[in-house]
């Protein structure tokens, strides 16, 4: 979407309303081809797994008693996660995506939907092509219905007729998009369990960045973020969600898309101005080391001798 719709990321194309859908269509078909290639050629010998990693926030209805808000929250998740996961786990794009993009395309006078279609053969070929689901997750939004009037200029963002809100009380230590909302993760994981037949899940990305450099390396907010989100994964495990592994994002500060080196996700601080790029552990390193060595939260009563 950022590469083919808004042009913020490489390759910088601004193909409003159709570029992102076309790119995604190719990604899904290519993913299936890779899975089948491995399945037919290498699996018997190597016994490996091929999956896909999808990044998605969670959408919570502003008013859980309002059907329109609940529908808008459902659209939020289907237009993000379902866009890719639904073809792979259920054989086609989510119905709500087909309906909304189709309807808006017709209003524009287009003969066909801006959302491409899979042939019957492609649907069969794509369905089931994931041995595990990788999930990148960072934050949550409150969602409500918002009608975008008929627009000549279409976009992925106006296709789903919703507005995203945040609670000003949510901690937001880093960039303006990343609020710490741990409870959203458990809901996302349970959604995956019920929608896609409880697939094997690896959490491939979860973490928080800082935009202001923290000179004392005292990233207490990152510790609280990791604690909150990992705790919600443990709750999801108790709910019966099939989470197999967790990866914190990320080990080191690094190049972050169009933000360059200014947005720091690392557990280790990198001095980019020094030609040797020395690394310094932030406070979160010791905290995360304890979690790894205990394979969970360490017993608070256990005193280190």
């Amino acid at each position: 979407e950022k590469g083919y719709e808004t042009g913020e990321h490489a390759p910088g194309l601004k193909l409003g309303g159709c570029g992102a859908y076309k790119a995604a269509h190719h990604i899904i078909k290519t993913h299936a081809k890779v899975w089948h290639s491995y399945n037919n050629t290498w699996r018997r010998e190597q016994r490996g797994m091929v999956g896909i990693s999808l990044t998605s926030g969670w959408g919570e209805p502003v008013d859980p008693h309002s059907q329109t808000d609940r529908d808008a929250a459902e659209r939020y998740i289907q237009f993000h996660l379902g866009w890719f996961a639904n073809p792979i786990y259920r054989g086609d794009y989510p119905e709500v995506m087909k309906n909304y993009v189709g309807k808006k395309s017709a209003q524009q006078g287009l003969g066909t939907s801006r959302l491409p279609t899979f042939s019957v053969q492609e649907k069969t070929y794509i369905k089931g092509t994931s041995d595990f689901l990788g999930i990148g997750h960072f934050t949550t939004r409150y969602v409500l219905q918002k009608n975008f009037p008929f627009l000549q200029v279409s976009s992925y963002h106006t296709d789903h007729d919703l507005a995203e809100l945040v609670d000003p009380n949510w901690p937001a230590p880093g960039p303006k998009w990343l609020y710490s909302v741990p409870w959203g993760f458990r809901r996302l994981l349970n959604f995956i369990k019920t929608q896609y037949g409880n697939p094997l899940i690896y959490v491939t990305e979860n973490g928080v960045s800082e935009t202001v450099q923290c000179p004392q390396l005292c990233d207490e907010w990152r510790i609280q973020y990791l604690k909150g989100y990992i705790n919600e994964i443990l709750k999801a495990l108790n709910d019966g969600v099939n989470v197999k592994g967790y990866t914190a994002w990320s080990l080191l500060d690094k190049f972050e898309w169009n933000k360059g080196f200014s947005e720091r996700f690392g557990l280790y601080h990198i001095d980019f101005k020094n030609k040797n790029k020395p690394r310094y552990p932030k406070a979160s390193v010791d905290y995360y080391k304890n979690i790894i060595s205990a394979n969970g939260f360490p017993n608070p009563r256990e005193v280190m001798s």
Side-chain angles (χ1 to χ4, degrees):
E1 179 262 329
K2 286 193 165 62
Y4 292 87
E5 177 95 29
T6 64
E8 287 173 63
H9 291 176
L13 300 179
K14 296 181 181 178
L15 307 171
C18 61
Y21 295 134
K22 279 184 181 170
H25 201 67
H26 289 304
I27 288 168
I28 294 162
K29 291 204 288 186
T30 310
H31 162 79
K33 187 159 190 176
V34 170
W35 187 92
H36 281 287
S37 169
Y38 186 84
N39 197 50
N40 296 335
T41 312
W42 300 106
R43 189 187 297 276
R44 212 173 292 115
E45 181 189 333
Q46 295 181 349
R47 297 181 188 174
M49 293 197 300
V50 177
I52 192 165
S53 185
L54 305 175
T55 300
S56 180
W58 174 249
E60 183 74 10
V62 168
D63 177 1
H65 304 295
S66 154
Q67 188 61 50
T68 55
D69 284 4
R70 288 206 304 271
D71 290 346
E74 172 78 12
R75 286 199 302 281
Y76 175 91
I77 201 77
Q78 294 294 0
F79 267 80
H80 286 83
L81 181 69
W83 183 8
F84 294 86
N86 221 73
I88 288 166
Y89 284 96
R90 303 177 77 165
D92 199 4
Y93 289 122
E95 285 302 314
V96 72
M97 269 191 95
K98 294 196 287 184
N99 291 343
Y100 268 69
V101 182
K103 182 180 69 185
K104 302 235 176 191
S105 302
Q107 285 172 349
Q108 290 175 280
L110 299 174
T112 55
S113 175
R114 287 181 280 102
L115 183 70
T117 53
F118 295 114
S119 69
V120 175
Q121 290 90 337
E122 284 171 340
K123 288 177 189 177
T124 311
Y125 187 71
I126 292 162
K127 189 178 178 181
T129 57
S130 211
D131 305 319
F132 66 88
L133 179 60
I135 283 292
H137 174 73
F138 294 91
T139 194
T140 283
R141 294 287 184 266
Y142 280 121
V143 179
L144 50 76
Q145 167 87 21
K146 179 183 180 181
N147 290 336
F148 286 91
F150 168 60
L151 299 160
Q152 261 338 107
V153 183
S154 54
S155 95
Y156 165 75
H157 281 289
T158 55
D159 279 342
H160 28 43
D161 277 354
L162 56 85
E164 300 174 27
L165 307 173
V166 296
D167 183 332
N169 295 318
W170 289 343
K176 58 181 182 293
W177 64 271
L178 211 174
Y179 292 79
S180 179
V181 196
W183 52 260
F185 203 6
R186 182 185 184 184
R187 296 185 187 196
L188 176 66
L189 291 168
N190 272 283
F191 174 88
I192 291 165
K193 176 191 166 192
T194 53
Q195 285 274 313
Y196 309 125
N198 203 12
L200 175 65
I201 295 173
Y202 285 93
V203 177
T204 44
E205 287 188 26
N206 173 243
V208 67
S209 60
E210 71 252 25
T211 41
V212 198
Q213 206 166 309
C214 149
Q216 283 80 39
L217 306 174
C218 47
D219 57 346
E220 180 60 33
W221 67 87
R222 184 172 282 106
I223 290 171
Q224 291 308 317
Y225 181 99
L226 292 170
K227 182 179 183 180
Y229 276 75
I230 292 169
N231 199 32
E232 292 298 318
I233 299 171
L234 292 173
K235 291 178 192 175
L237 277 167
N238 287 335
D239 298 335
V241 180
N242 191 10
V243 183
K244 187 76 172 172
Y246 173 84
T247 316
W249 188 260
S250 62
L251 179 67
L252 309 171
D253 290 336
K254 40 99 186 86
F255 189 83
E256 186 61 32
W257 298 96
N258 54 339
K259 299 289 187 291
F261 297 108
S262 66
E263 198 170 311
R264 296 171 176 267
F265 273 93
L267 299 173
Y268 282 83
H269 173 85
I270 309 294
D271 182 356
F272 292 115
K273 293 193 174 87
N274 184 315
K275 70 174 170 49
N276 295 321
K277 310 285 186 290
R279 307 165 179 186
Y280 303 99
K282 301 174 189 176
S284 52
V285 166
D286 274 342
Y287 182 75
Y288 196 52
K289 271 183 184 172
N290 286 335
I291 290 175
I292 292 168
S293 57
N295 193 27
F297 293 113
N299 185 340
R301 293 189 181 84
E302 209 173 288
V303 181
M304 300 295 285
S305 55

